[in-house]
């Protein structure tokens, strides 16, 4: 029964957050600072998620094949490579490091 209670509370919480978003006055959303935050927040959250998934293992910092792949993707990005090339470079470097590490 605890799982269904958690599901119900999550559903109610999601609905409440959506309702609060609809109740915000339009004037508050038109402020330049709010618009800047709305534009930059998804990028910051995605960067934090990428960093946590790449460098985190529980409560420990790790450097492994994922970090090498991300570094290679960053280098390809700085060289202005197309998106699919960046993904390919990251995949190849990650796979290569994993193959060499055993």
């Amino acid at each position: 029964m605890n799982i269904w209670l958690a599901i119900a509370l999550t559903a109610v919480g999601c609905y409440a957050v959506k309702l609060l978003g609809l109740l915000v006055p339009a004037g508050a959303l038109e402020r330049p600072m709010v618009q800047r935050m709305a534009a930059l927040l998804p990028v910051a959250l995605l960067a934090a998620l990428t960093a946590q998934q790449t460098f985190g293992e529980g409560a420990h910092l790790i450097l492994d094949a994922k970090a090498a792949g991300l570094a290679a993707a960053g280098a390809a990005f700085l060289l202005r490579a197309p998106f699919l090339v960046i993904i390919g470079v990251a995949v190849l470097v990650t796979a290569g490091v994993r193959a060499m590490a055993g």
Side-chain angles (χ1 to χ4, degrees), residues 51 70 73 102:
L70 185 63

Side-chain angles (χ1 to χ4, degrees), residues 72-97:
F77 177 77
L78 290 176
L79 294 173
R80 302 205 184 271
F83 180 71
L84 289 177
V85 172
I86 294 172
I87 298 300
V89 165
V91 168
L92 289 174
V93 169
T94 302
V97 170

Side-chain angles (χ1 to χ4, degrees), residues 1 3 10 13 15 17 22 27 34-36 44-45 50 59 61-64 72 78 80 88 94:
M1 186 66 173
I3 188 92
T10 302
Y15 183 77
V17 168
L22 293 173
V34 172
Q35 289 181 347
R36 244 180 322 191
L45 289 173
T50 301
L61 177 67
I62 58 167
L63 293 174
D64 61 355
L78 290 176
R80 302 205 184 271
T94 302

